Amino acid sequence: MTIPTQDILTLIPQRWPFVMVDELVSSNDDTTQTTLLVQAGNVLVNDGILSEAGLVENIAQAAAAGAGYVARQFGKPVKPGFIGAVKNLEVFALPKVGDTIETEVKIENRVFDVSIIKGKITCEGSTIAQCEMKIFIQSQQ
């Protein structure tokens, strides 16, 4: 399903300056796609290059955007999530300021408040990073 352009901050718990996604492109039951324009003011950009940590956080926030979109569809609040583990991280290239990266996250498994996802980031049609991630979603208090 294509998502109408909307304020990404309504879908993720993160706030400036630590926002690593710009737009939710699409989301369905198990796959979410987002974009990010790498900008010089990004806190995880060093010497004009988005760091490996920025790529990992981008994948996590893409997953958060998908979860936030689902929560909003059901009239529920967006819950914070935490990276529990990163597995099989491969970084093939780092994007530079001015590049737009596209991130796809697929939910592999969901048990209670834990999701196992696979994330892949592309830039100009080439895969630049991928990993598996375990994300814990904070329960309502």
Side-chain angles (χ1 to χ4, degrees):
M1 159 188 316
T2 301
I3 308 301
T5 302
Q6 55 187 308
D7 183 6
I8 196 70
L9 296 179
T10 64
L11 302 178
I12 62 174
Q14 292 81 7
R15 293 294 175 255
W16 303 109
F18 207 69
V19 174
M20 300 294 148
V21 292
D22 289 333
E23 183 180 16
L24 178 63
V25 176
S26 68
S27 187
N28 62 34
D29 290 339
D30 64 353
T31 303
T32 297
Q33 295 178 317
T34 63
T35 61
L36 172 69
L37 171 63
V38 179
Q39 298 186 39
N42 185 306
V43 296
L44 295 177
V45 167
N46 299 309
D47 297 323
I49 304 293
L50 183 64
S51 67
E52 291 89 344
L55 295 176
V56 170
E57 186 61 26
N58 171 260
I59 290 171
Q61 288 189 26
Y69 177 74
V70 169
R72 292 286 183 207
Q73 296 302 300
F74 290 100
K76 296 181 180 178
V78 174
K79 296 180 185 179
F82 306 94
I83 300 171
V86 176
K87 184 176 166 185
N88 300 325
L89 174 64
E90 296 179 287
V91 177
F92 306 107
L94 296 173
K96 61 187 183 312
V97 168
D99 286 344
T100 296
I101 59 175
E102 299 170 348
T103 306
E104 181 178 88
V105 171
K106 292 186 179 189
I107 298 171
E108 298 290 310
N109 197 0
R110 192 180 293 140
V111 179
F112 300 109
D113 291 333
V114 179
S115 293
I116 307 296
I117 60 107
K118 283 189 178 182
K120 179 174 79 168
I121 302 172
T122 59
C123 184
E124 297 180 5
S126 296
T127 300
I128 62 168
Q130 58 190 18
C131 72
E132 296 173 39
M133 195 175 287
K134 185 183 293 185
I135 300 173
F136 293 90
I137 305 299
Q138 182 174 318
S139 298
Q140 291 295 85
Q141 306 253 342

